[in-house]
Amino acid sequence: MKTLLTLSVNGRPREDAVAGNALLIDYLRDTLGLTGTKQGCDGGECGACTVLVDGEPRLACCTLAHSVAERSIETIEGLSHEGNLSRLQRAFHEHLGSQCGFCTPGMVMAAEALLRRNPQPSRDEIREALAGNLCRCTGYVKIIESVEAAACGSEVPA
Amino acid sequence: MAALSEFRVLRPASAVDAVRLRGEHPASRFIAGGTDLVPNLRRGLVSTDIVIDLGNVGEMREVQRSGDTLRLGAGVTLATLAADPTVRASLPALAQAALCVAGPTHRTAATLGGNLCLETRCQYFNQSESWRQGNNYCMKLAGDTCRVAPKSSRCYAAFSGDVAPALLALGAEVELLGPQGIRRLPLAELYVDDGMRWLALGADELLFAVTVPLVAGRVSGYEKLRMRGAIDFPLAGVAAALTRDGEAIGELRIACTGVSSRPEFVGGLDALAGQPLDAAAFATIERQIKRTIQPMETTTVSVPYRRRATPVLAKRLVGRLWDEAKRR
Ligand SMILES: Cc1cc2nc3c(=O)[nH]c(=O)nc-3n(C[C@H](O)[C@H](O)[C@H](O)COP(=O)(O)OP(=O)(O)OC[C@H]3O[C@@H](n4cnc5c(N)ncnc54)[C@H](O)[C@@H]3O)c2cc1C
Ligand code: SF4
Ligand code: FES
Ligand code: FES
């Protein structure tokens, strides 16, 4: 049975009829067409589905859509502005933090939450913040370097 | 991935309403952070027609100190718990255990109550529907034989929460809210040694809060054995709380997780009070732990290894706490 869900997604207020058993990831991908958020496992194991809920990283595959009623959701699609990648997204691009790209939206959102809370994280703090995000391609070194590059203010070319 | 079964979500604004709804809908389930329940729903391990979301119950998210007691609402997230200044300063075992749970993106949602009520785990149970079907299921769900102990009439699925042993070592009590109001009991009495019915929680009861005594001079800590440094349930976990009188043990309390169907408080350590922490004391610790725990083939890691490793974790931890207590 569908009931009305009111929340904000990437800064826009929304009101949609959503089934009780819909997961946040299903709502984002299937109802809103925001397919940047990825489903990498059958529940809670990989971090590919990480989005921000009121600025905190959350796994969209372990969250019922109705549990985030009245909250503010941010997905990877919300980071770029007028077609320009955010500083963090550009850093992933320039420092080869993304290979096949499947884990990248989750990595970027978890790193985004970290940098908002702690703009100058140490290498260990970055590793700790990304500990719930798995990558099968990069070996993590390039991912950590990408976050460091975005944090330390070194100019990331557009 | 099969779609989730059909259910409705109710979002009560108070704990009393949550309990009332639970009583009205016997097949309902509470959901807090959802990091245990949702993966289990997705794998068809639990089914329900109504999910009662505790996320709107503000009174369950409070942390209050009154005198020598810290009261933690069951809805406090593990991220909040691990960062709380009183918890970090006075109850380090609790802070360390909370920080060991899953990964950081789980802990922003995962709650204390959900961690204490965590479903027991087994390598034959926490699998997809097709995997379990291919193995003819098991007694915990849809089958009639236990794969771990085929002659057994009970299920040995392991309680694998990290926070419960810390709270047992620290002497916590729980507040359960039911239709008749609140009842308090020692945390140990919340648990039953049975992989299929591991909670002594009434069908219409809610875990409302946890109270932990703040004991001056007590040091504490948590050690966990796992395959990876994050996102891994404990193969074994040990919490200890210790006070020291000069060169003698004041009080030593130890509890374990991951090595039976309930978190286990290790009895028989009272005799160590007044004794030095010497080889004989370590031998007593090892013996009492081996008497208490019952690791079974619920994980892919071997039983003899977990049996031997658990007292090792405990002895390392107690040794560390002993030195810490001296510096105080
Ligand atoms: C990949 C992965 C790794 C994990 N690793 C760990 C780990 O290392 N250690 C660990 O301990 N856990 C681990 N977990 C399990 C889980 O994330 C945590 O135990 C978490 O604390 C559960 O809390 P929650 O609020 O999300 O619970 P939920 O999923 O919301 O609820 C769990 C259960 O408790 C019941 N419940 C919740 N709150 C109450 C209440 N107040 N009263 C009565 N019943 C209640 C629910 O009905 C449900 O049955 C892991 C999970 C995943 C997916
Ligand atoms: S211990 Fe036995 S009955 Fe219980 S989940 Fe494992 S295989 Fe199934
Ligand atoms: S899709 Fe893997 S953790 Fe959510
Ligand atoms: S880039 Fe392929 S999984 Fe990370």
Side-chain angles (χ1 to χ4, degrees), chain A residues 1 20-21 23 39 41-45 50 56-59 61-64 66-67 69 110 128-129 131-134, chain B residues 1 4-9 11 31 33-35 38-39 42-43 51 53 103-109 128 228 230-231:
Chain A
M1 192 181 75
N21 65 354
L23 297 167
Q39 171 90 59
C41 68
D42 72 350
E45 308 270 345
T50 307
E56 286 196 328
R58 286 278 293 265
L59 299 174
C61 78
C62 291
T63 307
L64 297 178
H66 282 282
S67 289
E128 166 58 30
N133 295 75
L134 301 185
Chain B
M1 183 82 247
L4 288 183
S5 61
E6 289 276 328
F7 56 77
R8 282 197 296 145
V9 183
R11 308 195 75 219
I31 191 169
T35 61
V38 173
R42 298 185 65 163
R43 289 178 165 186
V51 171
D53 182 355
T105 40
H106 301 82
R107 294 192 296 267
T108 51
S128 64
R228 303 175 288 186
I231 2 176

Side-chain angles (χ1 to χ4, degrees), chain B residues 192-259:
Chain B
V192 182
D193 190 18
D194 180 340
M196 288 166 73
R197 267 198 63 256
W198 64 99
L199 290 177
L201 194 68
D204 50 2
E205 275 185 322
L206 170 77
L207 175 56
F208 188 50
V210 177
T211 53
V212 199
L214 301 168
V215 178
R218 186 190 255 180
V219 293
S220 66
Y222 180 67
E223 287 281 341
K224 172 172 178 175
L225 183 70
R226 53 181 161 186
M227 300 296 279
R228 303 175 288 186
I231 2 176
D232 255 0
F233 285 91
L235 297 167
V238 178
L242 172 85
T243 56
R244 181 171 171 163
D245 293 333
E247 288 309 307
I249 296 168
E251 187 191 23
L252 176 60
R253 297 171 59 89
I254 296 181
C256 304
T257 191
V259 282

Side-chain angles (χ1 to χ4, degrees), chain A residues 130-151:
Chain A
L130 299 181
N133 295 75
L134 301 185
C135 174
R136 301 303 297 266
C137 306
T138 64
Y140 302 101
V141 175
K142 298 283 180 197
I143 290 175
I144 292 163
E145 286 174 1
S146 302
V147 181
E148 268 183 326

